Amino acid sequence: MRRRVTEEAVLNTHDQSWADVAQWTCPHGQHAGHGCVTCYQASVDVDPSLPLWAVAAWFTTERPIPIKALQDVHRHDRDLALTQPSTPFVYLLSAQVRAALGAEAVAGVVGFLVQNRHIVDEFTVTEIRAAHS
């Protein structure tokens, strides 16, 4: 029986410890909460033997994301979902991604936002979670 592994972090304006920063740094040197376009692009041709991570990233914006943009995100070929919980300007981006590390999986999912600035130009990730079994 496989054990479920969950990694999560609440990101805030306070300084994070070096260990927390290191845990959430992707192989390309980017903090997962800031996203990594290289990790996002690498998720296309990924080794199917890598763990399948269920990723969630909550983020805030200064302006609302148009409803059409929220609906169109699922058309991307990477099983992405962008939803808005009941709180204004708070969004949840989720996906299933194959990656060696949770940080790499989260960085790739948040990297989608970085690469697609036409969906949201400015955002702040407040909480991240990656789980696999």
Side-chain angles (χ1 to χ4, degrees):
M1 187 166 148
R2 298 175 95 174
R3 184 175 71 89
R4 184 159 182 84
V5 175
T6 302
E7 300 174 8
E8 58 190 334
V10 175
L11 308 178
N12 54 38
T13 57
H14 302 292
D15 291 332
Q16 289 188 313
S17 72
W18 181 88
D20 288 340
V21 171
Q23 175 188 356
W24 289 106
T25 299
C26 79
H28 307 101
Q30 300 296 317
H31 189 282
H34 298 283
C36 177
V37 173
T38 305
C39 285
Y40 172 67
Q41 293 170 342
S43 67
V44 172
D45 297 319
V46 68
D47 181 353
S49 69
L50 291 173
L52 181 62
W53 293 87
V55 173
W58 288 264
F59 65 95
T60 60
T61 63
E62 292 185 16
R63 293 187 297 243
I65 298 174
I67 292 173
K68 176 133 176 59
L70 291 173
Q71 294 168 341
D72 286 348
V73 167
H74 77 277
R75 292 190 180 135
H76 288 264
D77 59 349
R78 303 194 189 166
D79 250 352
L80 292 163
L82 181 59
T83 57
Q84 182 179 21
S86 60
T87 309
F89 306 114
V90 175
Y91 298 90
L92 170 61
L93 180 63
S94 59
Q96 290 193 339
V97 180
R98 290 204 181 273
L101 304 169
E104 185 178 2
V106 172
V109 170
V110 177
F112 165 80
L113 294 175
V114 175
Q115 178 151 327
N116 293 284
R117 290 290 185 171
H118 62 280
I119 294 172
V120 56
D121 56 356
E122 294 291 326
F123 64 91
T124 302
V125 175
T126 57
E127 186 174 345
I128 50 180
R129 183 175 301 142
H132 78 84
S133 41

